[in-house]
Amino acid sequence: MAVQEARRYGEHTTACADCAPCGRTGHRRAVAAFLARRDELAAGHGVPAAVAHSPVAARQWVSDELAQSARAVTAHGREAGLA
C-alpha cells in the first residue's frame, strides 16, 4: 500500500498541501467526496430519522450538509491554487 501511495504522489511519500500535485489531488478528492455525498442524499440515504419525518427539516438538513461539503471543496481549491 505504501508503494502505491508513493507512486501516486511521485517522489513524495506522503501527501503535502504545499506542492501543486498534492494540492490538486486533495482538491479532486474533495470534489469526489462532495459528489458522492450529493448523490447519496439525493437517493434518500443518510438523512437522520430525527428530520426525515419533516420534508422542510430534511431539505434544510440536506442543504446544510451540502453547504458544509462545498466549503471543504472550496478550502481544498484554495490550497491547490496556492501550491
Side-chain angles (χ1 to χ4, degrees):
M1 184 65 151
V3 173
Q4 292 171 343
E5 288 294 315
R7 284 187 191 139
R8 177 179 296 150
Y9 298 113
E11 294 181 13
H12 299 294
T13 56
T14 61
C16 59
D18 295 337
C19 71
C22 294
R24 285 189 298 271
T25 299
H27 180 67
R28 281 193 299 272
R29 285 183 184 158
V31 169
F34 173 82
L35 295 175
R37 184 70 172 147
R38 180 200 64 186
D39 293 345
E40 174 187 0
L41 294 172
H45 304 291
V47 178
V51 298
H53 69 282
S54 168
V56 172
R59 279 193 300 271
Q60 183 62 51
W61 187 87
V62 167
S63 176
D64 293 345
E65 283 292 303
L66 291 178
Q68 182 179 359
S69 293
R71 284 191 291 275
V73 169
T74 301
H76 282 285
R78 278 192 213 113
E79 290 172 4
L82 294 175

